[in-house]
Amino acid sequence: MSSNKPSTTPSTLNKYRGIIIAVSLFLVFNLAVLGLNFYTSSTLNDDAVSINLSGRQRMLSQRTAKVLLTIQVDAAQGRFNEKNTAELKKVSHLFDTTLNGFKNGAVVIGGDEKPVRLKKVTDAVATKSVDEALTIWKPYKQLLLPVITSNMVDEVTLDIATDYARENNLKLLKLMNDLTTQLEKNTKAKAAKLQMIQTIALVLSLLLFANIVFNALRKLRSADSEIEKAQRETTEILNTVKEGLILLDPQFNVGSQFSQSVSRILQHDIVANTPFMPILKSLVSEEIYISAEDYIKLLFGNKVKEALMLSLNPLTQVKVMAKNDTAPRYLSFQFNRVVEDKRVLHLLVTVQDVTEQVTQAEELQALKGQSNINLDLLKKLLQADNFQLRQFLNNAQTGLEALNVILAHADKRSTNQTDLANQCFRIIHALKGEASALGLASIENSAHQFEEHLVDLRKKTSWEAQEILSLPVMLSALLEQLAQVNSIVAAINAHQKHANANVAPPLVSTSVSNNLKRLAEQVSQNQNKQVQLKLDLRLLDEMDEKVVQQLQQIGIQLIRNGICHGIESPDARLAKGKPAKGEIALTAQMNAAGAIEFIVRDDGQGIVPSRIRASMIASGRYTSEVVGQLSDKEIVGKLFEPGFSTASGTDKDAGRGIGMDLVQTLINEIGGELKIDTKPDTFTQFSFRIATHSTPTINLYATEAAV
Amino acid sequence: MSDLSEKDIEIFIEAIGGYFKQITHEAASIGVAYLAQNAFPMNDFTGLIKVSADYTGALYFSAPSAMLRHLLTVMKETDQSEENLLDAVGEIANTISGNARKYFGENMVISTPEKIIGIPADLNRSEKNYAYVIIIKWKHYSASLVVDIKRIR
């Protein structure tokens, strides 16, 4: 997952469009009002000039008349003052240009002797005053012209001008007065109008401003409540979501927002800014922690694509054990980059407790395995020979019941724990051998596990509660498997009895032979050796079933031993000049005295005391001093001690050191005496005579010498 | 065939061990453990818990009166009447059922413990299942825990 980029200009513009438009309008409006103000003040300025100048006209008209009259009085007395003429010239000119300025608009000399722009009058009343004034002024101006231009003015001209002045002076004054009044009136009206416009504009502007403030506040409030709502929703989500969600910053600290379930899943109190790595370290193994740290660092780097890194995540399904966990749990961590401007800002960590799924998957897998075993078991049972199966089931049941009795009386016995373990071991080992010969792999496996447990116990002088409890639990598992086999065999038998009513069951000797051949094949395959089994067991057909079973047990153990310890690997055999394929012969034969001799002979490396000594020292359980003190016969005798083995490792076929012990026990039960003949690199032969057997010795070809 | 796992059975044993450890500061240990189809080793006083739901069967904790008397003495209880001895065995059965409830959850419905003097009446089991017998040792006494529980679902 990659996060959306934070909103950029377009969406912000949309969001605040109303406010932006309102503010722009407000600005434009205020600019307009400002412009209006400029215009107003400039207009009023113009008006002030006009009023000022029209007021001056009043004064000029009176000055003109006054100066003219003064010139007339001076002339009557024969005087001439040049100043008066110049002043008349100046004031009349000013009056004239100003009056024409009112008529047409012009630049005139202002009150401060500087040129000012005079606008022509426009309203009717003022225009009328100006026009009337012009009508009076034009002849007046003509009459004044000779007075201004010459130093010597004749009295007639002067009188005409003076008369005209007297006649029109007040008229002109009144007209100029009217003009001034009108202009003032106009200006007042204009000012009032402008004031009103300004007031309206101000009110409008205030309204607009109020609108902006109101809208902005509303927008802000709604934005705030949206944020608040979003935050509330986020919190609700984070409080209820089952997955643990954390944001990690580049310093690997937990961010301020995380889901409530995170503390429970990680079994760790999480607060904002908690460093994440120590938590992870407390949960997972050192090895996983190191690769997880590398992985997270890599994710914060921008170089590698997230999708490419998915398969590298070492925490996809990781076994954890927190302080308070009673059993290991499985967690799944997923990391997703939170990217902005192509930079990894955070990692979103999703943690899930997947223990249930994993356990279910494991159970399912186990069930799958179980059904495979069952199918396999069924196949083996269908192939197995009935005699062998019956033997096996009887022996196994009896053996396990005996084992249970041993367990039940464990604390009443005077023997020590090692003996107890050895006794159980013999039973389980025999059962394993038989199961293996029948190809009942699941029982063989269970027996093998039981053996492993017993090997551990054998080394200890006192057993833990759990170790004691494991014994009946394992026993129960084996019994359950036997019960399963029993029920399947019963069903098969019922079916076969019906179908093969007329078919004679195979001979016991054939059955035993087949069984031993199957075993030899299996063990030699496991050991990567080539072995040929030569069997002559016809005598078994005449023997008691129990003895046959015991002999078969002995056969199983000796064949197994022969292949594991006697027969060399094909290469080693070839090097010794022997055929690659070894040979093991089992013979049951009756001697002249009617006793049955049972012989197991292999053409392997023989029992060599020096080799046994070496492996005894190599095992670390014997010092070379102890080994040195034993005679060769005593050394070979060690082979029959429980727990003694010369195999370098432990596998299903050898290495537990119980085979020979079991053989000896069985021979003792039969009542025979074991003899071992061996020659280095040539052969080993185990033979014993069965002293008594349940069927009477019948000699049909006895000579008369027989007693 | 009891198809409880080793861990399941340990829960019951731990409950008893924990009880003795807590009350007497002397742990109880396992003497022997084996399977039995019948002839369960029963003592003078027995606490019986029956289970149902995903499981069926019963669990017995059976102790000799001498052991219970000693336990009461350690607890400084002077009244060693039969009733009090029964209560003591019931208390242990209660502890076992409490732990089992916590461990098995709703998958195992556990009855209120029954307290029995002498051999329990319904020991004649029809099925030829194996039950686990665990001999629990405390001081020189032996009590027995019989786990005769089968998973049915």
Side-chain angles (χ1 to χ4, degrees):
Chain A
M1 190 192 86
S2 69
S3 80
N4 286 331
K5 277 186 170 186
S7 41
T8 47
T9 12
S11 64
T12 316
L13 273 183
N14 276 335
K15 201 168 156 190
Y16 297 112
R17 175 185 278 173
I19 291 180
I20 289 168
I21 290 174
V23 169
S24 310
L25 268 178
F26 177 73
L27 284 176
V28 168
F29 195 76
N30 272 312
L31 277 174
V33 171
L34 197 67
L36 189 67
N37 268 340
F38 270 117
Y39 168 74
T40 309
S41 58
S42 85
T43 318
L44 288 178
N45 207 21
D46 289 347
D47 287 353
V49 169
S50 298
I51 291 167
N52 199 10
L53 291 183
S54 81
R56 194 179 66 177
Q57 288 295 79
R58 289 187 304 198
M59 183 271 285
L60 288 174
S61 68
Q62 297 314 300
R63 259 322 257 266
T64 308
K66 192 186 165 194
V67 176
L68 183 63
L69 285 173
T70 307
I71 292 172
Q72 188 199 25
V73 172
D74 282 352
Q77 291 169 5
R79 286 187 305 227
F80 176 76
N81 192 341
E82 205 173 318
K83 271 187 183 169
N84 288 334
T85 311
E87 191 182 353
L88 183 63
K89 185 181 178 183
K90 186 185 168 192
V91 293
S92 65
H93 179 71
L94 258 183
F95 185 85
D96 179 57
T97 52
T98 308
L99 190 61
N100 277 307
F102 277 121
K103 175 69 185 170
N104 302 315
V107 176
V108 298
I109 300 299
D112 50 3
E113 303 291 326
K114 283 180 183 161
V116 288
R117 174 96 206 157
L118 179 62
K119 283 175 76 185
K120 72 171 190 176
V121 292
T122 45
D123 79 294
V125 179
T127 310
K128 190 173 164 252
S129 300
V130 171
D131 285 345
E132 279 177 20
L134 273 172
T135 316
I136 294 171
W137 174 251
K138 274 179 186 163
Y140 195 6
K141 188 182 161 188
Q142 289 303 321
L143 290 172
L144 287 177
L145 201 62
V147 182
I148 297 162
T149 48
S150 82
N151 294 336
M152 287 298 292
V153 185
D154 66 295
E155 279 186 27
V156 179
T157 308
L158 206 54
D159 285 344
I160 292 169
T162 316
D163 287 346
Y164 193 85
R166 276 196 193 98
E167 191 182 334
N168 291 299
N169 183 35
L170 285 175
K171 283 184 196 162
L172 210 53
L173 179 68
K174 187 183 175 291
L175 282 170
M176 286 304 100
N177 226 356
D178 288 349
L179 176 66
T180 308
T181 311
Q182 186 58 38
L183 284 176
E184 276 174 353
K185 214 165 114 188
N186 283 353
T187 304
K188 262 186 195 162
K190 197 190 263 177
K193 202 164 137 196
L194 283 173
Q195 216 166 18
M196 200 175 74
I197 291 172
Q198 256 180 335
T199 310
I200 290 170
L202 196 69
V203 168
L204 280 177
S205 149
L206 280 173
L207 282 177
L208 207 54
F209 182 72
N211 177 10
I212 290 168
V213 170
F214 175 73
N215 269 330
L217 280 178
R218 206 185 54 186
K219 274 257 154 69
L220 276 174
R221 212 171 48 209
S222 90
D224 278 355
S225 77
E226 257 172 48
I227 290 170
E228 213 172 280
K229 193 177 160 203
Q231 266 177 351
R232 207 170 46 233
E233 282 172 0
T234 310
T235 311
E236 274 171 18
I237 290 171
L238 288 176
N239 285 348
T240 42
V241 73
K242 253 168 67 184
E243 286 86 5
L245 298 173
I246 308 174
L247 273 181
L248 276 194
D249 65 17
Q251 284 75 44
F252 306 159
N253 291 330
V254 174
S256 60
Q257 301 261 312
F258 46 83
S259 66
Q260 215 173 36
S261 53
V262 126
S263 299
R264 181 180 49 75
I265 295 175
L266 297 181
Q267 289 280 317
H268 204 288
D269 285 336
I270 306 281
V271 289
N273 294 322
T274 308
F276 177 68
M277 298 317 283
I279 302 174
L280 190 62
K281 195 169 191 172
S282 71
L283 288 172
V284 302
S285 70
E286 182 68 19
E287 199 179 320
I288 289 180
Y289 172 77
I290 291 170
S291 39
E293 196 180 25
D294 289 345
Y295 179 70
I296 294 171
K297 277 181 190 162
L298 213 58
L299 276 174
F300 268 114
N302 298 320
K303 287 175 189 152
V304 190
K305 279 189 177 167
E306 190 174 318
L308 290 179
M309 294 182 63
L310 222 59
S311 61
L312 300 178
N313 183 0
L315 302 175
T316 316
Q317 184 183 305
V318 63
K319 197 174 180 175
V320 301
M321 190 83 185
K323 272 185 295 188
N324 301 330
D325 283 344
T326 48
R329 291 181 301 138
Y330 290 90
L331 297 186
S332 152
F333 290 78
Q334 273 169 38
F335 298 87
N336 296 101
R337 283 168 169 166
V338 180
V339 184
E340 192 184 309
D341 292 337
K342 295 180 179 172
R343 219 161 49 86
V344 182
L345 282 191
H346 286 105
L347 284 186
L348 174 68
V349 187
T350 314
V351 201
Q352 280 175 288
D353 189 332
V354 291
T355 310
E356 208 170 314
Q357 289 95 304
V358 173
T359 321
Q360 270 174 6
E362 277 174 358
E363 274 171 13
L364 218 74
Q365 196 59 41
L367 266 180
K368 231 165 139 189
Q370 192 77 45
S371 68
N372 281 345
I373 288 169
N374 286 345
L375 211 68
D376 197 44
L377 180 67
L378 194 65
K379 216 159 78 189
K380 292 285 181 200
L381 292 177
L382 279 167
Q383 289 166 352
D385 133 359
N386 207 9
F387 170 77
Q388 290 298 334
L389 261 181
R390 213 171 60 235
Q391 287 284 346
F392 167 71
L393 289 172
N394 284 341
N395 293 340
Q397 191 69 30
T398 318
L400 293 180
E401 277 167 11
L403 195 151
N404 194 34
V405 171
I406 294 171
L407 294 184
H409 297 101
D411 61 344
K412 293 178 191 144
R413 293 155 38 97
S414 52
T415 45
N416 62 24
Q417 305 289 69
T418 311
D419 285 344
L420 184 73
N422 280 334
Q423 280 189 3
C424 296
F425 207 118
R426 269 196 290 276
I427 293 167
I428 297 299
H429 195 68
L431 186 147
K432 187 175 89 169
E434 284 187 274
S436 161
L438 281 167
L440 304 177
S442 65
I443 296 184
E444 190 191 356
N445 283 336
S446 298
H448 186 68
Q449 278 173 19
F450 205 153
E451 277 188 351
E452 298 216 323
H453 182 56
L454 289 167
V455 166
D456 286 342
L457 292 184
R458 199 157 65 184
K459 295 174 194 154
K460 298 180 177 176
T461 47
S462 70
W463 298 345
E464 302 278 325
Q466 194 205 333
E467 290 168 339
I468 299 173
L469 181 62
S470 296
L471 296 169
V473 171
M474 288 175 153
L475 176 61
S476 170
L478 271 174
L479 281 166
E480 196 164 349
Q481 282 173 303
L482 278 182
Q484 192 186 18
V485 172
N486 245 325
S487 60
I488 297 172
V489 168
I492 294 171
N493 280 350
H495 174 73
Q496 280 181 345
K497 219 174 244 174
H498 189 68
N500 310 327
N502 301 324
V503 181
L507 289 170
V508 167
S509 58
T510 316
S511 164
V512 172
S513 301
N514 288 342
N515 201 34
L516 294 179
K517 274 181 196 160
R518 203 160 40 235
L519 172 85
E521 201 175 299
Q522 197 183 318
V523 177
S524 54
Q525 224 169 46
N526 288 352
Q527 301 289 326
N528 288 322
K529 291 180 181 173
Q530 294 175 17
V531 178
Q532 165 92 38
L533 210 55
K534 277 196 166 175
L535 303 167
D536 182 1
L537 301 171
R538 282 166 297 174
L539 264 185
L540 296 188
D541 295 334
E542 295 169 24
M543 292 164 84
D544 177 71
E545 225 177 64
K546 183 164 173 16
V547 180
V548 171
Q549 194 275 318
Q550 286 165 319
L551 288 177
Q552 177 170 267
Q553 268 293 342
I554 294 168
I556 287 172
Q557 298 304 330
L558 290 179
I559 289 172
R560 197 190 281 274
N561 270 354
I563 298 172
C564 293
H565 305 296
I567 304 290
E568 309 91 332
S569 67
D571 291 345
R573 289 181 64 85
L574 289 172
K576 288 178 184 175
K578 297 201 258 189
K581 197 176 231 178
E583 186 184 287
I584 299 179
L586 259 80
T587 321
Q589 60 187 31
M590 196 179 281
N591 66 8
I596 291 174
E597 267 186 341
F598 193 76
I599 302 160
V600 181
R601 180 189 174 109
D602 69 69
D603 67 346
Q605 59 181 349
I607 298 173
V608 185
S610 62
R611 289 188 195 139
I612 300 173
R613 282 177 207 275
S615 60
M616 278 170 79
I617 294 165
S619 76
R621 281 178 292 199
Y622 302 88
T623 60
S624 50
E625 204 179 5
V626 171
V627 172
Q629 283 169 356
L630 297 171
S631 69
D632 279 359
K633 277 199 173 177
E634 282 169 327
I635 288 289
V636 176
K638 282 274 167 200
L639 295 179
F640 294 89
E641 278 184 17
F644 183 87
S645 174
T646 58
S648 49
T650 297
D651 56 39
K652 277 190 215 164
D653 299 318
R656 295 277 179 247
I658 205 78
M660 293 311 295
D661 174 35
L662 178 60
V663 168
Q664 183 67 70
T665 309
L666 286 166
I667 292 172
N668 288 346
E669 278 175 22
I670 297 170
E673 205 170 296
L674 180 66
K675 185 175 170 232
I676 303 172
D677 298 286
T678 181
K679 187 179 175 192
D681 296 324
T682 312
F683 78 98
T684 304
Q685 177 175 298
F686 297 89
S687 59
F688 61 94
R689 205 168 288 174
I690 303 172
T692 53
H693 56 95
S694 52
T695 49
T697 312
I698 302 162
N699 188 353
L700 293 175
Y701 310 101
T703 59
E704 284 173 333
V707 178
Chain B
M1 203 74 42
S2 173
D3 39 15
L4 293 180
S5 74
E6 195 171 319
K7 174 84 189 152
D8 297 342
I9 303 163
E10 270 173 30
I11 294 301
F12 305 125
I13 298 172
E14 278 167 14
I16 301 171
Y19 180 84
F20 277 96
K21 180 95 185 159
Q22 196 193 340
I23 301 292
T24 71
H25 302 291
E26 189 173 335
S29 61
I30 291 192
V32 298
Y34 61 98
L35 301 173
Q37 276 179 311
N38 40 50
F40 294 158
M42 288 296 161
N43 294 295
D44 309 330
F45 294 91
T46 301
L48 163 63
I49 300 165
K50 287 179 178 157
V51 303
S52 52
D54 289 3
Y55 299 84
T56 181
L59 179 146
Y60 307 84
F61 176 75
S62 187
S65 60
M67 182 182 194
L68 297 171
R69 272 183 229 286
H70 201 139
L71 183 63
L72 287 181
T73 310
V74 173
M75 290 162 78
K76 300 198 168 67
E77 173 60 66
T78 47
D79 178 4
Q80 303 208 338
S81 62
E82 204 167 62
E83 203 174 313
N84 259 6
L85 295 176
L86 254 187
D87 280 350
V89 90
E91 179 87 12
I92 297 172
N94 254 330
T95 309
I96 299 172
S97 74
N99 279 33
R101 259 191 208 106
K102 211 189 287 176
Y103 173 77
F104 289 100
E106 58 191 16
N107 299 327
M108 185 187 270
V109 173
I110 300 166
S111 74
T112 315
E114 292 172 31
K115 298 177 275 187
I116 302 156
I117 303 177
I119 305 292
D122 53 355
L123 265 182
N124 287 330
R125 304 160 66 247
S126 56
E127 281 184 278
K128 289 232 160 188
N129 282 338
Y130 285 98
Y132 286 98
V133 175
I134 298 124
I135 303 298
I136 309 274
K137 301 214 155 200
W138 179 71
K139 295 193 182 286
H140 58 281
Y141 307 104
S142 294
S144 47
L145 170 71
V146 177
V147 183
D148 183 18
I149 295 174
K150 185 182 172 185
R151 191 176 183 129
I152 49 175
R153 266 197 285 267

